[in-house]
Amino acid sequence: MESLLCLLSTVEIPKSVYKDAEDRFTTWEFQNHNFTLMALWSQFLVVANERIINGTSTGGFDLHLDKVDTNWSDKLPSIDYAVFSDAHWFFRQNYLYERDNLIGCVYCQAPNVTDLGPSVAIKRAFETAFKEINNCKNCKKIFTLLRTFSPSHFEGAAWNNGGGCNRTLPIGEEEVNKGGSDWDYRKIQVEEIDIARSLGEGSGNIFEILDVTEIMLMRPDGHPGLYWGNRWMKGYSDCIHWCLPGPIDTWNELLLEMVKRRDI
């Protein structure tokens, strides 16, 4: 989103018309082009309540996989293009619910609770989100793009165990591992967008894939590493987010090309 805002600003300086206190929901208007850009922040796309124990945040959430997060879905009637960009929040200690019943967890190691892993949560959350688009009664025809899983490049250890991303050069296509978990999460997303596309044909909705997984696997050099300036996480490398300007600008070049090809 920040990359897109920077690229569009070379044509017209936008007017900031809304920003919440945490800078998570933001809106800019490009008045000369009758174009509005909104960032709608939703960690899981579905309803999520952080788990609080003895008054302390745990960092884990109760996820209601069959209930859409209205913080973004309420905006659908005013949206022409929707870009979904989500996944990494699912890799934490979350508890999963459907019909208000606990069905399992992710990394919880709790007695009598089945650890279903992040794959189930990702699959069900995207399914619920895309159903919301196809079932929206007051919406225009929406062009929905799913940005596929954006890989991290921790090497040596996990993020909180000394892992880092210290490479300074891209790797070749022949070095890309297409058998790892990154590829598995991409596969889940592609399957869900294919289902949504078939269900949305009658209503005129368009679902496409902004497939960045493979090209981003080739860019282990594109992360902030230790230089991300997070005061709460000093000493830890950031191998999940991407430096700007940098590889992430390519996502918007692909986005532009896909919109042009659709000619809408």
Side-chain angles (χ1 to χ4, degrees):
M1 177 275 300
E2 291 174 346
S3 167
L4 180 59
L5 183 65
C6 290
L7 294 172
L8 294 176
S9 295
T10 63
V11 177
E12 179 186 348
I13 302 300
K15 178 182 179 182
S16 176
V17 295
Y18 178 76
K19 181 171 71 172
D20 72 340
E22 296 180 304
D23 200 19
R24 290 175 171 175
F25 294 85
T26 50
T27 303
W28 296 271
E29 288 184 354
F30 294 79
Q31 295 176 340
N32 293 338
H33 291 80
N34 191 28
F35 178 75
T36 300
L37 177 64
M38 289 190 295
L40 306 175
W41 195 75
S42 178
Q43 308 104 303
F44 304 100
L45 305 177
V46 295
V47 171
N49 302 308
E50 187 168 8
R51 295 176 67 87
I52 308 296
I53 297 179
N54 296 326
T56 302
S57 299
T58 65
F61 290 78
D62 291 325
L63 305 186
H64 294 266
L65 299 176
D66 53 349
K67 297 180 181 180
V68 72
D69 180 2
T70 56
N71 285 320
W72 68 266
S73 66
D74 283 351
K75 302 290 187 181
L76 284 177
S78 65
I79 288 175
D80 298 296
Y81 302 87
V83 181
F84 284 82
S85 180
D86 193 11
H88 283 279
W89 275 83
F90 290 92
F91 306 112
R92 56 180 62 213
Q93 194 176 89
N94 294 322
Y95 289 77
L96 312 179
Y97 293 79
E98 288 187 341
R99 297 180 181 177
D100 294 323
N101 296 316
L102 180 65
I103 64 169
C105 68
V106 180
Y107 305 149
C108 70
Q109 298 179 336
N112 303 318
V113 182
T114 304
D115 191 336
L116 298 175
S119 295
V120 171
I122 292 172
K123 176 180 176 62
R124 290 289 290 112
F126 277 95
E127 177 185 354
T128 297
F130 295 151
K131 279 184 177 178
E132 184 70 14
I133 291 176
N134 278 328
N135 293 336
C136 182
K137 302 301 182 184
N138 299 318
C139 291
K140 298 167 283 187
K141 297 177 182 178
I142 298 177
F143 187 176
T144 299
L145 293 117
L146 166 63
R147 187 229 62 195
T148 60
F149 188 77
S150 170
S152 61
H153 290 97
F154 287 103
E155 293 184 297
W159 72 271
N160 58 349
N161 229 359
C165 41
N166 302 317
R167 299 199 186 204
T168 57
L169 294 172
I171 64 174
E173 186 177 356
E174 68 281 356
E175 299 178 71
V176 170
N177 177 16
K178 292 188 179 181
S181 58
D182 294 334
W183 212 253
D184 291 337
Y185 300 131
R186 172 195 173 276
K187 182 174 182 289
I188 290 169
Q189 292 178 319
V190 170
E191 289 173 350
E192 289 306 316
I193 203 82
D194 285 343
I195 293 171
R197 182 187 294 116
S198 63
L199 294 176
E201 288 178 348
S203 59
N205 289 324
I206 299 170
F207 291 86
E208 292 290 357
I209 300 168
L210 191 61
D211 199 345
V212 306
T213 306
E214 182 174 0
I215 58 174
M216 291 298 106
L217 282 168
M218 293 189 285
R219 293 303 307 268
D221 59 312
H223 301 282
L226 286 170
Y227 305 101
W228 58 320
N230 188 320
R231 58 179 174 168
W232 297 283
M233 300 292 290
K234 287 190 179 298
Y236 292 97
S237 285
D238 181 358
C239 306
I240 293 177
H241 298 92
W242 299 89
C243 294
L244 282 175
I248 202 169
D249 292 328
T250 306
W251 301 6
N252 288 308
E253 294 174 7
L254 294 172
L255 173 63
L256 174 62
E257 183 61 28
M258 295 181 73
V259 171
K260 288 167 61 179
R261 288 185 180 184
R262 279 291 176 179
D263 192 30
I264 59 175

